[in-house]
Amino acid sequence: MKVARIVFPGFWFGESDLSTAKQLARMGVGGFCVYGGTAQQTLAFTQKMREVSPYNHLLICADINEDLTEVVPDAPALPSNISLGKCASAEGAYKKGNVLALQARSLGIDWLLAPVVDLGYTSPAFCEVPSCVTRLAGDFVAGLSNGGALNCIKYFPGVSGVLKTLAQMEDAEFMPYKSLFRRADAIMPSDMTFPNIDGENQAMLSDKILRGLLKKRLNYKGCILSFPLWKAYVRYEAAAALKMLHCGVENILAPADPFSVIEAIEREVNKGFLADEIIHSISNHEMAVSKVFAQPAVSMQEAFALAKDFCNKK
C-alpha cells in the first residue's frame, strides 16, 4: 500500500529543493501544493513531477482563496469574490470559476482549493448572506468543473460560527456546505477552535466536528482535505497528521516535513491502524483524477488572455 499517495507536499519556488521534490514524486506522493513560482516555473515544475511520478496523473493543488496570483504572482488577477457578490452576478461567478480553471490547467494545476464559503465581512466569500453565498459559490464551482479543475469548499464549519451554537449555525454557516455537498470535490476544515462544538481541538483535529458533525449529522460522504499543515500552527506535525486521518481527513496537504509525516503514517499502518481509511482515500484519489481533463483546454497564453479580457469587461 502506497501510503505516500495521501500526502501532498508543498513546493515553494526559491526555497524548496527540486531534487527533494523529485524524490517525493518517485516515492509516490499524490501530488503537490505549489507556492510562489512564475507561470513558466510552475508549468515546468508540474511537467517534471509528472515525468518522474509512478502514477498516470499527479494532482497539483493551488492553495488559494481568490485567484492564482496568490501562488503564481505573474498570473492575471481576477475580480474579487466580494465584488461579484455585490452585484449578485451569477454569470460573473461562473465566468470567474471557468477562467480560473483554464488558467490553472494551462499551468498543470488540477485542484483549486476554493471557494471559501465562510460568512462574515472579512471573508473572501461572495457576501454575508447564506443563500447568496450558496448560489454564487455554486456557479463558481460549475465554472471550475467545466474548465476541467477540481474544487474544495472551505473552511468548515465557518469562521462566523465560532461563538454560535449548532442550532444557530444550522441555517447560516452550514447552508452553503449542505447545498454544495454533491458538487464538492472536497471540503477543507478550519484551523480555528469552535468552543461550543469542541473547545479542545482545532476543527481540522476534531473528531466531534469532522466525524460527528460533518459526516454524521450533516451526512457528508465526500473527501476531506487537511488544512495546509505548514500554516496551521501545530506543534507536532506528524502527530497532527495522524490525528486528522483518524478523524476522517483523507489527504494531508503541505506539511513542512513530508518525510516525517509519511514515515509516521507508515508506522501507524504497520501497527494495524488506518489501513481501511487509506484504501478509501486512494479510491477517492482515483475518482478525483478521473474528473480532471487529460489535457488543458487552452494554452497558457490563451488562458491568460481570457483572464485579462474578463477583467476588462467587469
Side-chain angles (χ1 to χ4, degrees):
M1 185 190 303
K2 285 277 188 179
V3 301
R5 194 166 188 182
I6 69 172
V7 178
F8 287 63
F11 186 86
W12 291 265
F13 291 88
E15 299 179 26
S16 301
D17 179 63
L18 184 60
S19 62
T20 301
K22 289 180 181 178
Q23 181 184 354
L24 287 162
R26 292 190 185 99
M27 286 173 60
V29 295
F32 288 87
C33 295
V34 292
Y35 295 92
T38 65
Q40 289 290 351
Q41 287 174 326
T42 302
L43 178 59
F45 174 78
T46 60
Q47 291 174 336
K48 180 58 66 177
M49 293 304 103
R50 289 189 172 117
E51 287 174 8
V52 300
S53 171
Y55 307 126
N56 291 332
H57 193 81
L58 199 65
L59 290 175
I60 308 295
C61 302
D63 176 18
I64 64 171
N65 290 331
E66 289 276 6
D67 63 27
L68 276 182
T69 61
E70 297 163 61
V71 295
V72 183
D74 62 338
L78 298 177
S80 68
N81 291 343
I82 196 69
S83 70
L84 298 174
K86 285 179 180 177
C87 57
S89 175
E91 181 182 356
Y94 174 89
K95 185 67 174 177
K96 178 177 181 178
N98 191 248
V99 169
L100 183 55
L102 294 175
Q103 281 184 285
R105 295 285 292 123
S106 76
L107 303 180
I109 296 170
D110 311 291
W111 208 332
L112 292 159
L113 307 183
V116 176
V117 295
D118 281 357
L119 309 178
Y121 69 94
T122 61
S123 168
F126 294 93
C127 65
E128 300 177 51
V129 180
S131 59
C132 180
V133 171
T134 298
R135 180 168 56 84
L136 295 180
D139 292 323
F140 177 86
V141 163
L144 287 183
S145 179
N146 289 340
L150 303 170
N151 66 71
C152 178
I153 313 301
K154 61 187 187 183
Y155 299 94
F156 186 82
V159 64
S160 60
V162 68
L163 297 177
K164 294 181 180 179
T165 65
L166 283 176
Q168 291 171 326
M169 297 175 76
E170 194 72 40
D171 296 323
E173 284 74 17
F174 296 163
M175 181 185 290
Y177 291 100
K178 291 188 292 185
S179 299
L180 294 170
F181 274 169
R182 292 186 179 182
R183 301 164 66 184
D185 295 309
I187 286 177
M188 181 183 293
S190 172
D191 65 333
M192 295 180 63
T193 302
F194 293 76
N196 288 338
I197 307 174
D198 182 352
E200 298 181 0
N201 297 288
Q202 295 164 280
M204 64 183 195
L205 295 167
S206 172
D207 191 71
K208 290 180 181 178
I209 290 175
L210 299 184
R211 287 196 188 278
L213 175 57
L214 181 58
K215 286 181 171 285
K216 292 183 180 179
R217 178 166 175 162
L218 300 183
N219 199 34
Y220 176 62
K221 303 297 185 184
C223 176
I224 303 175
L225 298 183
S226 81
F227 190 91
L229 279 185
W230 72 275
K231 60 181 181 181
Y233 304 106
V234 293
R235 290 187 62 189
Y236 303 105
E237 193 176 59
L242 292 180
K243 186 169 183 177
M244 282 191 282
L245 292 172
H246 281 289
C247 290
V249 170
E250 295 187 14
N251 295 103
I252 305 299
L253 301 185
D257 183 357
F259 292 103
S260 67
V261 168
I262 292 169
E263 289 172 5
I265 298 170
E266 288 176 339
R267 287 195 300 270
E268 195 78 347
V269 171
N270 290 336
K271 293 177 185 176
F273 301 109
L274 291 177
D276 290 342
E277 289 85 349
I278 290 172
I279 290 170
H280 179 73
S281 175
I282 291 173
S283 175
N284 277 349
H285 187 279
E286 293 284 358
M287 188 180 301
V289 169
S290 72
K291 293 180 181 179
V292 176
F293 291 176
Q295 298 294 331
V298 298
S299 68
M300 181 197 309
Q301 292 75 19
E302 291 173 296
F304 282 23
L306 285 170
K308 292 174 183 176
D309 183 60
F310 174 51
C311 290
N312 291 336
K313 290 180 179 178
K314 294 310 294 175

